[in-house]
Amino acid sequence: MLCGRKLLQSLASVHRAAAVLPRCMSTGGDQLLVDMDSKSGVAVVKLNRPPVNSFNLEFMTEINLLLEKLETDRSCRGLILTSSNSKIFSAGLDIMEMYNPQPDRLAEFWRTLQQMWINLYGSRLATVAAINGHSPAGGCLMALCCDYRIMASGYTIGLNETQLGIIPPFWFVDSMINATGMRQAEICCEKGLMVTSEEAEKIGLVDTVVPQQAIIENAQTEMQSWLKVPDFARQLTKKQIRQPTLDKLLSRRDEDIQHFVQFITKDSVQKALGFYLEQLKNKQKKK
């Protein structure tokens, strides 16, 4: 589910520490832990925004800066995305960015999300998502951007936006269709389903399910199989497959932002988000 940063501040103090090897490039922030192996050319990036790696404007800006730096570093060939939280890959978009929003920031928030998807979905790098926890909504979208998805057993994943009264954008849906096929995407997106790791593997939402303790090792092994392919051949093939999906958003970015702002600021949507926040508050009081 989507989570608000202010609402969940009481769950955990914000403890951040950058773990960066000499080959790594600093993003100027500490919400991403980056381990760059200079021999293999593979960067392991851990999302590190407690408590649940929700995507606010600042966090996504930091992610985009890192993706752009890795993209231009010719010694970097692969990217493994995972989380420093052993139970949550990412809880998705920060709901506080959408509840009682400032219009200008709301538009910039959405443009930054678009850019994160464009950067990752169209990356020249071989990308593997090591999904080591629950991955709803925007977390699922980030995983869908990757070339290969490995998920730890015992967690859930899905585009659950409709459960909150939010319509998933066409490029969210396109990402799901490209992974699972039209029929499964239709069922999952319309019903806002969160499926188990094992169910996700059956429908093609993830490629492999492994025990939690083996996820990084499996991601490294999988990455090596992608890097055996000559980079230019792999990159051009990826572009050939993915460019039509990218072009669909690139040609409609402003329209998509305008639609999002108009939709989110509707009274009915704001009431639904407010109700959801109250549910979260009540759950926290019971703990």
Side-chain angles (χ1 to χ4, degrees):
M1 58 186 169
L2 305 174
C3 295
R5 67 178 182 280
K6 294 181 181 177
L7 178 64
L8 295 173
Q9 280 177 344
S10 61
L11 293 178
S13 60
V14 180
H15 174 72
R16 301 166 185 161
V20 181
L21 292 184
R23 279 294 307 151
C24 176
M25 300 153 293
S26 172
T27 65
D30 54 6
Q31 298 181 112
L32 298 170
L33 306 181
V34 187
D35 184 348
M36 179 72 182
D37 187 329
S38 59
K39 292 183 178 179
S40 67
V42 176
V44 178
V45 175
K46 294 182 179 180
L47 305 176
N48 186 51
R49 184 180 182 239
V52 291
N53 291 328
S54 59
F55 298 129
N56 69 352
L57 175 59
E58 289 76 18
F59 189 29
M60 291 192 296
T61 298
E62 189 174 334
I63 292 170
N64 281 334
L65 285 172
L66 176 62
L67 290 173
E68 288 161 9
K69 288 181 179 181
L70 293 175
E71 194 77 12
T72 57
D73 179 2
R74 306 314 295 182
S75 70
C76 185
R77 301 179 62 211
L79 169 63
I80 294 173
L81 273 175
T82 189
S83 169
S84 64
N85 186 325
S86 61
K87 295 182 179 180
I88 297 286
F89 178 70
S90 170
L93 302 184
D94 190 330
I95 200 170
M96 295 308 296
E97 293 281 10
M98 296 179 283
Y99 186 61
N100 291 331
Q102 300 173 358
D104 289 346
R105 182 179 172 96
L106 184 63
E108 185 61 25
F109 167 74
W110 199 250
R111 184 176 295 277
T112 305
L113 175 63
Q114 289 177 335
Q115 192 61 50
M116 186 173 76
W117 179 81
I118 291 166
N119 286 342
L120 189 54
Y121 196 76
S123 177
R124 68 168 180 84
L125 305 174
T127 54
V128 174
I131 310 163
N132 57 333
H134 296 297
S135 189
C140 178
L141 180 70
M142 174 174 268
L144 282 168
C145 288
C146 294
D147 299 319
Y148 198 87
R149 291 169 292 283
I150 300 174
M151 189 168 184
S153 180
Y155 295 105
T156 57
I157 186 171
L159 296 178
N160 65 333
E161 283 80 2
T162 56
Q163 293 289 338
L164 281 77
I166 297 175
I167 301 171
F170 67 86
W171 42 287
F172 281 48
V173 176
D174 286 347
S175 300
M176 177 73 84
I177 291 171
N178 291 347
T180 68
M182 179 65 77
R183 183 56 183 153
Q184 288 298 334
E186 187 175 30
I187 294 171
C188 290
C189 291
E190 287 189 30
K191 297 176 76 173
L193 295 181
M194 291 292 294
V195 298
T196 66
S197 310
E198 289 73 20
E199 291 169 335
E201 183 181 22
K202 288 179 181 178
I203 65 173
L205 180 50
V206 302
D207 299 295
T208 307
V209 176
V210 301
Q212 171 80 291
Q213 64 271 19
I215 193 165
I216 296 299
E217 180 183 354
N218 276 264
Q220 294 280 17
T221 300
E222 180 62 34
M223 176 60 72
Q224 292 310 309
S225 72
W226 287 77
L227 296 183
K228 288 180 181 178
V229 180
D231 286 350
F232 75 93
R234 175 181 53 75
Q235 292 163 3
L236 290 176
T237 301
K238 178 177 180 177
K239 182 176 182 179
Q240 178 177 247
I241 294 169
R242 295 193 171 195
Q243 196 62 49
T245 304
L246 287 162
D247 287 342
K248 190 174 175 181
L249 175 60
L250 289 169
S251 65
R252 298 168 58 183
R253 285 190 74 173
D254 290 340
E255 176 189 341
D256 180 61
I257 293 168
Q258 183 178 14
H259 176 77
F260 170 74
V261 171
Q262 290 175 345
F263 178 79
I264 289 296
T265 53
K266 286 183 178 179
D267 288 343
S268 58
V269 176
Q270 287 297 305
K271 287 179 182 179
L273 293 176
F275 178 72
Y276 177 71
L277 287 172
E278 284 300 317
Q279 287 184 313
L280 284 180
K281 288 180 182 178
N282 293 334
K283 286 181 181 180
Q284 293 310 314
K285 288 177 181 179
K286 293 178 181 178
K287 289 185 179 180

